[in-house]
Amino acid sequence: MPHNRVLITYFEWHGIAARITVTPNHRIEGWTLITITLKNPAGPPLPIIPQGTIIHHGIEQEKLDAAGGVLPFLKRWADRDAQTPGYLKALAAWRQGDLFSAE
C-alpha cells in the first residue's frame, strides 16, 4: 500500500464482515492507523472487537508490511483472539441473546 493514502477495504472472518480503513498516521512517522467497523452490529462479535462495533488500532507500517498487509494481519489477529476467554464469553452472550427482550 502506498504509505501516503487512505485505503478502504472489507474483511470477512467466519461470515462476520467489517469495513477496514487504513490511514497513515500523519503525526507519527512510520505508523499506520487501522479502523475496523462491524457491518452488522447485531450479528456475532468479531474477536478483534468483542464489545462494541468499532476499534482503532495503531501499528508500525513496517510490521504491517511484514505481516503481508492489513488483511492477513487482521485474519491472524482474529484467529488468535477467537481463543481468548473474553471473546468466548462475548460470543456466548451473543448466542444467548437477550432473555428479557419483548421479541
Side-chain angles (χ1 to χ4, degrees):
M1 167 182 143
H3 300 291
N4 59 354
R5 296 189 326 180
V6 173
L7 168 71
I8 297 173
T9 190
Y10 295 90
F11 173 71
E12 187 168 320
W13 183 85
H14 295 273
I16 304 167
R19 180 178 189 260
I20 310 300
T21 305
V22 182
T23 309
N25 189 323
H26 64 278
R27 294 184 183 152
I28 305 172
E29 182 74 26
W31 276 77
T32 297
L33 178 66
I34 302 171
T35 302
I36 307 160
T37 308
L38 285 179
K39 290 185 77 176
N40 180 9
L46 186 62
I48 300 167
I49 314 172
Q51 295 179 335
T53 60
I54 190 167
I55 191 171
H56 304 282
H57 179 74
I59 185 172
E60 292 177 72
Q61 183 62 46
E62 193 174 279
K63 288 183 179 179
L64 192 59
D65 292 342
V70 69
L71 297 179
F73 171 78
L74 292 176
K75 181 183 181 326
R76 282 193 292 278
W77 185 9
D79 288 344
R80 184 183 64 238
D81 280 12
Q83 305 306 313
T84 64
Y87 177 69
L88 296 174
K89 183 177 178 181
L91 185 59
W94 175 80
R95 285 182 176 152
Q96 180 179 358
D98 185 357
L99 295 177
F100 304 105
S101 174
E103 295 177 22

